Amino acid sequence: MQMKTKAILYLAIAAAAAAVTASAVNHGTPKVGGPESGLNKGDMLPAYEPSHVSGADKGTNTCPVCKYGNTPAVQVWINNDNWENATKIAKTLDERMSKANGSATKPALKAFVVFVQPSDSETSDSKAFAKKLSDVAESNHFENVALAYVPSGDAAVKGYRINLDTQVQNTVFVYKNRKVMAKFVNLKADDKGLANLNAAVSSILR
């Protein structure tokens, strides 16, 4: 009887732990044994040249960390996320930049949403993919946040350690002076997830 009671107790503890872990990963915190992606806190972000389709560097391949290296910033890497979630994250960052930035020449905050261009037949054409991102930026009236993309085979994907597995929807880096200060994997754009993102942004603006 005692062994049965212990077994039930262990099962209850395991179930509670699983529920907490699932909640954490849904709001952007990596779970133990779950999908991992991206450079870690304390790592330095390497240079790369994405294709910008919106934002201050639209139409160029400006390196975000080279040009704005000392500016507090956020990079959101999208590879398997749905458009709705990705757009909500971008909108939150666009609004946050609007509040933080008093000057276009000396921004207090930068944000980049970098899409990993899939290699499937529908989106493998770069011009078509760029047009899709441009339409997203225009329809959502993004004025500050930069939408950009890199091919799935780009060296930056490996350099930033982006996991392209289907379990990973997005990887978010919050950084300052090119150093990662916070990271989220599979950030969910609900109230809790966006509150966590805003809190991380606030911490690099102090």
Side-chain angles (χ1 to χ4, degrees), residues 43-206:
D43 288 340
M44 303 298 289
L45 298 181
Y48 70 110
E49 298 180 341
S51 298
H52 295 259
V53 299
S54 74
D57 300 301
K58 179 179 178 179
T60 74
N61 295 101
T62 299
C63 170
V65 293
C66 300
K67 183 174 180 177
Y68 307 104
N70 296 323
T71 303
V74 181
Q75 285 189 40
V76 182
W77 284 69
I78 304 290
N79 52 302
N80 291 299
D81 211 347
N82 61 71
W83 288 104
E84 181 181 4
N85 197 68
T87 300
K88 285 182 179 179
I89 295 173
K91 184 175 180 62
T92 296
L93 292 172
D94 190 73
E95 293 173 350
R96 192 65 194 263
M97 286 180 66
S98 181
K99 293 177 182 178
N101 295 343
S103 168
T105 56
K106 294 183 178 180
L109 175 68
K110 294 294 291 184
F112 309 88
V113 181
V114 184
F115 291 78
V116 178
Q117 181 186 356
S119 57
D120 61 76
S121 58
E122 292 184 1
T123 52
S124 59
D125 180 82
S126 294
K127 288 185 178 180
F129 193 66
K131 178 64 166 57
K132 171 65 176 177
L133 295 183
S134 180
D135 289 346
V136 169
E138 185 176 349
S139 63
N140 286 278
H141 308 290
F142 293 151
E143 297 181 357
N144 303 286
V145 67
L147 301 190
Y149 71 94
V150 296
S152 58
D154 195 275
V157 175
K158 183 177 180 180
Y160 276 70
R161 301 180 199 162
I162 303 301
N163 185 351
L164 298 182
D165 188 89
T166 55
Q167 293 185 69
V168 178
Q169 284 77 51
N170 60 62
T171 308
V172 182
F173 304 103
V174 181
Y175 62 100
K176 188 175 184 179
N177 297 324
R178 298 183 69 157
K179 180 185 287 188
V180 179
M181 307 303 289
K183 181 181 78 169
F184 301 93
V185 177
N186 289 347
L187 180 70
K188 188 173 181 180
D190 57 10
D191 290 344
K192 185 173 182 180
L194 294 178
N196 288 341
L197 176 60
N198 272 312
V201 171
S202 294
S203 71
I204 62 172
L205 294 176
R206 293 170 185 163

Side-chain angles (χ1 to χ4, degrees), residues 18-31 184-186 192 196:
V20 170
T21 300
S23 175
V25 97
N26 284 339
H27 294 95
T29 17
K31 69 173 183 177
F184 301 93
V185 177
N186 289 347
K192 185 173 182 180
N196 288 341

